[in-house]
Amino acid sequence: MSNASQYGDLATQLLTESRRSTATNTLLKYNDVLVRAIIREQRDLDARLESALARSAPDDDDDDDDGSLTDEEREALKNRWMPTILLYQTAILRNKRCLLAYHHHRLELLKDLYWSVGGALPLLLALPPAAAKAAAGAQAAASAAAAGGGAAAAAPQDVRSKLSPHEVDFLRSYSDSLRILREEAFSSATEAAGGEGITEDIDLLAPISHPPKDLQVHVRVVRDCGVVYTELGAIDFKRGHRFLVRRADIEHLIVQGYLEEL
């Protein structure tokens, strides 16, 4: 530990980064260097704490004093290491709280991004940060893509480049858990396709910020998304084309920014 800094300074920098991320509503790159530095500081504090605890342990020679010490002096001698132990323990707990707060903030932000793209994990990991946040408002995202000719998709960095490997694993586990929930709690068996498959009774990932007014919706294709099988049959959604389709068939494409509602 450098004499020029104090215990907890690195953790304070981590919290400042989280507050900046909250203030700007953006996903910052995972600060692996700072997190590892705090973990090294934790190990150093732990070693110092164990050393202080060993020194504070009662010694057999202390019981054989000549009686020259008063009870107060003897008690003070036994507790002489307690301020040091308290300092190290407080620093360890504070660093731990800061690390937990930093990672909890990032995981909550990742879950918000996941829901903003309608649960499309491959799309989220391929989107630039600005487009991922804009996916929460489908109209704004579609307008920007149409005006800029897909400039958002050409951003130099995507969301995945800002994540740690553990955060990518978390998103995959989170997506798998939601998939299992949808299959077990919100779906029922169907007789289609030879009695195999399920139908989703409730679309858990459907947007609820703007309740639909009609069953049919007029949409314009903002980005090519290939052939989609709807209630009316297979439709090839090519950029620039307009369609009148059943909302339930293509609502996820609106959320993900492929279609723009007119």
Side-chain angles (χ1 to χ4, degrees):
M1 187 69 184
S2 175
N3 295 330
S5 60
Q6 298 180 352
Y7 291 121
D9 285 350
L10 297 177
T12 301
Q13 295 178 26
L14 205 61
L15 288 184
T16 301
E17 185 172 305
S18 293
R19 295 187 65 178
R20 186 168 67 251
S21 174
T22 302
T24 58
N25 197 27
T26 56
L27 177 66
L28 302 179
K29 184 177 177 60
Y30 182 80
N31 199 333
D32 184 70
V33 174
L34 189 55
V35 169
R36 290 180 181 274
I38 296 175
I39 293 176
R40 286 195 298 269
E41 182 179 296
Q42 288 286 83
R43 292 173 179 171
D44 177 65
L45 283 167
D46 186 66
R48 290 173 180 266
L49 178 60
E50 290 183 358
S51 176
L53 288 172
R55 294 183 181 183
S56 66
D59 194 354
D60 295 338
D61 296 338
D62 292 342
D63 299 334
D64 300 332
D65 57 48
D66 54 3
S68 60
L69 298 178
T70 64
D71 293 340
E72 291 78 5
E73 292 174 339
R74 188 177 293 106
E75 188 68 22
L77 185 62
K78 290 181 179 180
N79 297 330
R80 65 186 183 276
W81 286 100
M82 290 307 298
T84 303
I85 293 173
L86 181 61
L87 173 65
Y88 291 152
Q89 182 67 16
T90 302
I92 289 174
L93 293 178
R94 186 182 185 279
N95 283 347
K96 181 179 179 180
R97 290 177 61 188
C98 292
L99 284 171
L100 290 175
Y102 174 75
H103 289 90
H104 178 266
H105 168 264
R106 289 186 62 87
L107 292 184
E108 290 299 316
L109 184 56
L110 289 178
K111 287 192 286 188
D112 290 342
L113 289 175
Y114 177 84
W115 286 97
S116 71
V117 297
L121 183 58
L123 176 65
L124 174 61
L125 295 179
L127 278 179
K133 294 302 295 182
Q139 292 290 347
S143 300
Q157 292 185 345
D158 56 6
V159 172
R160 185 164 187 168
S161 67
K162 297 183 178 296
L163 306 181
S164 69
H166 297 293
E167 289 174 330
V168 176
D169 293 339
F170 166 78
L171 279 176
R172 289 171 177 164
S173 299
Y174 188 70
S175 179
D176 291 341
S177 298
L178 285 176
R179 177 183 55 80
I180 295 174
L181 176 64
R182 294 170 64 188
E183 293 177 355
E184 295 182 352
F186 297 99
S187 303
S188 58
T190 180
E191 298 299 331
E196 298 180 356
I198 58 174
T199 57
E200 194 165 12
D201 301 325
I202 299 177
D203 189 358
L204 188 63
L205 301 176
I208 59 174
S209 56
H210 302 288
K213 298 180 180 180
D214 301 308
L215 295 178
Q216 304 289 329
V217 60
H218 194 198
V219 297
R220 180 177 63 188
V221 183
V222 177
R223 290 186 294 166
D224 293 340
C225 52
V227 178
V228 177
Y229 292 92
T230 68
E231 189 180 50
L232 302 177
I235 301 178
D236 188 6
F237 288 98
K238 295 184 178 180
R239 181 178 176 181
H241 292 190
R242 301 188 180 190
F243 299 92
L244 180 65
V245 291
R246 184 169 173 264
R247 178 183 291 273
D249 292 334
I250 50 83
E251 193 166 25
H252 63 288
L253 297 177
I254 297 177
V255 175
Q256 296 170 13
Y258 287 100
L259 307 179
E260 175 189 7
E261 186 176 354
L262 301 177

